[in-house]
Amino acid sequence: MLALKQVKAKRPAWLRTKLTNAANFKQTATLLKKLKLATVCQEAACPNISNCFARGYATFLLLGEVCTRNCLFCQIKKGEPQPPVKAEPERLATAVKRLNLKRVVL
């Protein structure tokens, strides 16, 4: 019996985007990591992350890096969310203010 080798397909050229503002992207990613906040952008490996972060948009995942839904197209880990962290709302507010976000989705 032949073992099937799992091959990770590359994203097609029309789906790939160029990093529009590397400084904003790095600043946003660093701050989110420091504040221990998860975003759909990062967890779902969104190809538009640099565009959104550069434009001041972010979609936050509450209660950690796990989603309770089971969308077949999404790369976010599925399962039970983590218990609430008392400081999460304050950390989220800090991120929104420091990044001067124009739009926030929770």
Side-chain angles (χ1 to χ4, degrees):
M1 178 181 234
L2 289 174
L4 295 177
K5 184 177 179 181
Q6 197 170 21
V7 177
K8 189 172 182 178
K10 288 185 177 183
R11 290 187 180 115
W14 58 267
L15 188 57
R16 286 182 254 156
T17 60
K18 294 188 186 242
L19 190 57
T20 55
N21 189 331
N24 279 2
F25 175 81
K26 186 171 180 162
Q27 174 190 4
T28 301
T30 301
L31 181 64
L32 294 174
K33 185 175 182 177
K34 179 180 176 185
L35 293 174
K36 298 179 184 168
L37 293 170
T39 66
V40 172
C41 316
Q42 294 167 311
E43 300 305 319
C46 179
N48 297 319
I49 189 170
S50 63
N51 185 26
C52 291
F53 280 7
R55 293 174 66 195
Y57 304 158
T59 301
F60 291 93
L61 263 172
L62 301 178
L63 303 175
E65 302 169 346
V66 177
C67 183
T68 58
R69 299 180 185 249
N70 193 21
C71 304
L72 299 177
F73 59 85
C74 187
Q75 292 185 23
I76 298 175
K77 292 180 239 169
K78 286 110 175 113
E80 293 291 319
Q82 298 167 355
V85 175
K86 194 174 184 177
E88 186 177 36
E90 186 178 335
R91 292 191 320 230
L92 181 60
T94 299
V96 170
K97 185 176 180 180
R98 286 184 51 196
L99 295 171
N100 196 28
L101 296 177
K102 297 173 189 145
R103 294 190 180 115
V104 176
V105 179
L106 306 173

